[in-house]
Amino acid sequence: MRIATWNVNSIRARSGRVVDWLVREDVDVLAMQEIKCKPEQFPIEAFEAAGYELAIHGLNQWNGVAIASRVGLDDVETEFPGMPGFQKGHEGPDLPREARAIAATVDGVRAWSLYVPNGRSLADPHYVYKLDWLAALTEHTRAETAAHPERPFTLMGDFNIAPFDEDNGDPAVIEGATTHVSPAERTAFAELTGAGVTDVVRPLVPEGYTYWDYKQLKFPRNEGLRIDFVLGSDAFADVVTSASIHRNERKGDAPSDHVPVLVELDLDSGGDDDVPMIFG
DNA sequence: ATGACGTTCAAAGAACGA
């Protein structure tokens, strides 16, 4: 199975590009972020014509996540336990949840498409929200991977954190002093990746960014950030056979500011390549 | 340079993004 994640920055502005890429790369499952529309506004026909069904979670023009699949789409959820909400100018435990998470089971794999809050600035309430959101995600990940160790589990999406110094090639993003690279965000990411999932792309693709700002020739200068990840449980990581960051999708007409990240799985291997199969 | 780019909507600037 070929499974990918892509912050599309408005699916209505980019459905042609996205579906063309899915077909060209023979992708089975795509986790999308920042669709920026409600389900009734989503260009479903373009995906269905290419053989994909959809699970969509969008409330308004902000955020929005979806999963496209041609290998089934079951048990859809649009929030994880403890997922905090946010409302500008308001505080408290019961604020409305934003459209930042959707999960589905695809060919036996439990997959989340996630758009982690941006944080805005280190002094902004949105930054606290970001850290709280990640902490709740960490607890859910710990519980899910412990409860179902044999089921491949993945968190895919735009995490809005550059976990290591080499993930930041943008001089405007200052280590420790702006969002995406602050110690607290990096600690939150480290705790997530210590809670039963690991980055399955980095060992296979050690270098490269996944996002470049539209402004200031950031892409031609290659001043980007690596902030889009595929994290997988042991049962997921054990069946990964290849991974790639599709930098060329930042080129050409009307690109998203993010590029897709693709992983190939061999779900038939069972992840026990070193254990001989015994027949009869 | 409090910008530069791109997307959205209450449709002109504001909000948001990272």
Side-chain angles (χ1 to χ4, degrees), chain A residues 240-251:
Chain A
V240 171
T241 58
S242 68
S244 46
I245 296 172
H246 288 241
R247 190 177 189 282
N248 282 346
E249 286 307 305
R250 188 61 177 78
K251 302 177 181 175

Side-chain angles (χ1 to χ4, degrees), chain A residues 32-277:
Chain A
M32 287 169 267
Q33 302 86 38
E34 280 208 271
I35 63 169
K36 291 188 169 177
C37 68
K38 301 173 188 178
E40 60 267 31
Q41 298 172 306
F42 194 103
I44 292 169
E45 302 75 16
F47 285 80
E48 287 184 342
Y52 296 89
E53 58 183 320
L54 290 155
I56 303 165
H57 183 40
L59 299 171
N60 48 44
Q61 71 268 45
W62 307 123
N63 317 306
V65 284
I67 299 174
S69 172
R70 62 179 190 191
V71 292
L73 202 51
D74 299 307
D75 301 323
V76 173
E77 288 183 277
T78 57
E79 59 182 73
F80 48 83
M83 190 181 90
F86 184 81
Q87 189 172 15
K88 193 172 180 177
H90 294 260
E91 293 181 36
D94 290 312
L95 301 176
R97 268 50 151 198
E98 297 182 305
R100 296 182 176 275
I102 190 167
T105 300
V106 289
D107 198 13
V109 176
R110 188 64 180 164
W112 283 91
S113 176
L114 302 171
Y115 180 43
V116 175
N118 170 292
R120 297 182 184 166
S121 75
L122 300 186
D124 197 292
H126 209 261
Y127 180 74
V128 177
Y129 168 51
K130 179 179 195 173
L131 297 175
D132 289 347
W133 203 93
L134 286 162
L137 178 63
T138 297
E139 287 318 302
H140 177 62
T141 299
R142 198 188 311 281
E144 281 290 285
T145 54
H148 309 285
E150 306 306 319
R151 180 180 66 172
F153 176 88
T154 182
L155 307 177
M156 319 179 72
D158 176 357
F159 287 79
N160 270 322
I161 299 172
F164 302 101
D165 287 355
E166 59 266 34
D167 299 330
N168 174 22
D170 185 344
V173 177
I174 301 159
E175 311 294 345
T178 56
T179 62
H180 296 62
V181 291
S182 71
E185 288 164 275
R186 285 179 167 175
T187 297
F189 190 85
E191 287 177 353
L192 177 60
T193 54
V197 291
T198 59
D199 184 340
V200 302
V201 176
R202 197 181 295 273
L204 298 168
V205 189
E207 294 188 356
Y209 307 128
T210 63
Y211 160 88
W212 297 260
D213 198 305
Y214 287 120
K215 294 179 286 191
Q216 294 174 285
L217 299 172
K218 291 295 187 188
F219 183 62
R221 295 172 188 268
N222 196 29
E223 295 178 346
L225 296 170
R226 184 168 179 144
I227 54 177
D228 300 271
F229 301 104
V230 179
L231 310 182
S233 65
D234 289 347
F236 184 93
D238 284 350
V239 294
V240 171
T241 58
S242 68
S244 46
I245 296 172
H246 288 241
R247 190 177 189 282
N248 282 346
E249 286 307 305
R250 188 61 177 78
K251 302 177 181 175
D253 290 336
S256 170
D257 42 2
H258 296 250
V259 296
V261 180
L262 173 65
V263 166
E264 178 146 12
L265 308 177
D266 180 3
L267 290 170
D268 296 324
S269 77
D272 51 357
D273 315 31
D274 46 352
V275 178
M277 295 279 283

